[in-house]
Amino acid sequence: MGVKRSFVQKLIRRVRRYVAENLLFQIFWYMIEDVWGHVFKTTLPVMQRLFSRYPNAPNVIVKDARANRVKLEIEPRLTSPFNVEKYEIAYSIAEKGDLDVWHVVGVSEFTQRTVPRLEQDREYKFRVRARNIRGSSEWSDVVIARTKQRPVNGGGTGDGYVWSQTATEITIAFKVHRSLQPNHVSLHLTNSQEQLMQLYVVEEGQTRNLLNGSVPKRVKRCSQQIMEGQDNKVLVVTLEKSDKSLSTKFDFWRSVVQGQPEIDTHMIEREWTGKENAATFSMDGGGLRHRMSKSFIVQSRV
């Protein structure tokens, strides 16, 4: 009985000693960290002056483009571990034949930056340079990004056409020659894994390619009709979407075919918050096609 008691007492003493030693060690370590942090902050300006180097131009990558803003990611290229750098972003509208007029967004230490208040459906140039206590680097290589279109009736415009969409249908309207007949239209949609859509018309003996490319998502069926206008005709093509997601926002397409101008699908829900737009969203395919054709005819007159 006495042996057991002495063993328990020894064990208790060891546990107490271990806890005390570790507690003292932790307190000592926290004190060192606190002192080191204070020394580092106090001596940082001196260390920067002694050991900083002139910065290199960083790399810049376009991470995302919306209708009114572009998100950039900056990759620093530090010349010294003591360099504390900030980054200056400038952008310019990319138009051929014009001199680049650069607008500075601001200077910040963050490497994830968003350039706001841009115009929709425009091509922009971006460049970045690093700045520290030693000076500024050269400008980075220019990267180009194009902002997306603001959605109108869930769609946008392309080369010679306008389009709209609901959660289940895509409607595309083309202005065509007044002499066009239904048998002069060739609409073909492949059934391969990557669905290709080919749309041709024969106008005055000449074959014209209206749309050709792979569709972003599967299409169940397609149809076409020619609607009359005062000065021209409008060819309306309807694509019925095959896939349906649990959430409606994932069913919207960015473009009719890949490679065509894209819309900002993040703005579709905000576009349909008003009463008039909400009615458009709930409109059936026939009503939306009629509204689109009337809109296209008015645009073509202008």
Side-chain angles (χ1 to χ4, degrees), residues 25 32 112 115 123 143 169 198 238 272 283 296:
F25 175 78
I32 291 177
Q112 298 277 350
V115 182
E123 200 171 68
V143 296
E169 273 191 357
Q198 298 173 334
T238 303
W272 279 315
M283 192 180 298
F296 202 135

Side-chain angles (χ1 to χ4, degrees), residues 5-21:
R5 183 176 299 175
S6 62
F7 174 77
V8 172
Q9 290 175 349
K10 287 181 180 179
L11 182 61
I12 292 174
R13 284 197 297 270
R14 286 183 181 179
V15 170
R16 287 177 177 175
R17 187 183 305 115
Y18 177 79
V19 171
E21 289 175 352

Side-chain angles (χ1 to χ4, degrees), residues 157-290:
T157 61
D159 186 12
Y161 66 90
V162 297
W163 67 285
S164 67
Q165 66 177 319
T166 64
T168 58
E169 273 191 357
I170 299 285
T171 304
I172 318 166
F174 302 86
K175 184 176 69 174
V176 293
H177 196 270
R178 188 152 188 81
S179 62
L180 185 72
Q181 299 299 321
N183 58 349
H184 294 162
V185 180
S186 174
L187 174 60
H188 181 62
L189 189 68
T190 64
N191 199 26
S192 56
Q193 184 175 0
E194 182 182 3
Q195 276 190 308
L196 300 175
M197 183 173 67
Q198 298 173 334
L199 178 60
Y200 300 92
V201 295
V202 179
E203 296 177 326
E204 298 182 318
Q206 299 292 327
T207 301
R208 182 160 69 102
N209 180 16
L210 295 182
L211 203 58
N212 191 357
S214 58
V215 294
K217 295 183 179 180
R218 300 292 297 180
V219 174
K220 186 184 299 184
R221 63 178 63 90
C222 59
S223 61
Q224 66 199 40
Q225 66 180 114
I226 299 175
M227 306 185 73
E228 293 286 343
Q230 291 184 357
D231 301 323
N232 55 11
K233 288 184 178 181
V234 177
L235 172 62
V236 179
V237 175
T238 303
L239 307 177
E240 185 178 345
K241 299 176 182 179
S242 178
D243 300 330
K244 186 166 181 58
S245 307
L246 296 177
S247 178
T248 305
K249 63 181 180 180
F250 296 114
D251 293 325
F252 293 114
W253 293 12
R254 294 181 179 179
S255 62
V256 175
V257 295
Q258 295 180 6
Q260 291 289 313
E262 296 184 353
I263 62 167
D264 188 352
T265 55
H266 297 85
M267 302 181 73
I268 289 181
E269 291 185 3
R270 281 179 286 171
E271 179 203 3
W272 279 315
T273 53
K275 294 181 179 179
E276 180 182 354
N277 289 327
T280 303
F281 180 69
S282 61
M283 192 180 298
D284 61 4
L288 188 56
R289 284 192 292 273
H290 179 68

Side-chain angles (χ1 to χ4, degrees), residues 39-52 84 133-134:
V39 171
F40 178 79
K41 291 179 181 179
T42 305
T43 60
L44 181 60
V46 178
M47 301 293 284
Q48 286 180 351
R49 290 187 179 277
L50 290 177
F51 299 107
S52 288
V84 178
I133 196 169
R134 295 289 184 179

Side-chain angles (χ1 to χ4, degrees), residues 85-146:
E85 298 180 348
K86 295 184 177 181
Y87 304 98
E88 181 180 6
I89 296 178
Y91 72 92
S92 172
I93 299 176
E95 292 183 350
K96 295 181 179 179
D98 294 341
L99 294 175
D100 289 332
V101 179
W102 293 95
H103 307 275
V104 176
V105 176
V107 180
S108 172
E109 69 274 11
F110 297 112
T111 56
Q112 298 277 350
R113 299 285 299 278
T114 298
V115 182
R117 295 184 292 275
L118 301 178
E119 298 179 22
Q120 65 161 335
D121 198 22
R122 299 204 71 166
E123 200 171 68
Y124 288 89
K125 297 178 181 179
F126 300 92
R127 64 182 185 180
V128 181
R129 65 179 176 183
R131 296 169 61 176
N132 67 1
I133 196 169
R134 295 289 184 179
S136 300
S137 70
E138 297 292 329
W139 287 103
S140 67
D141 293 335
V142 173
V143 296
I144 298 177
R146 188 175 191 89

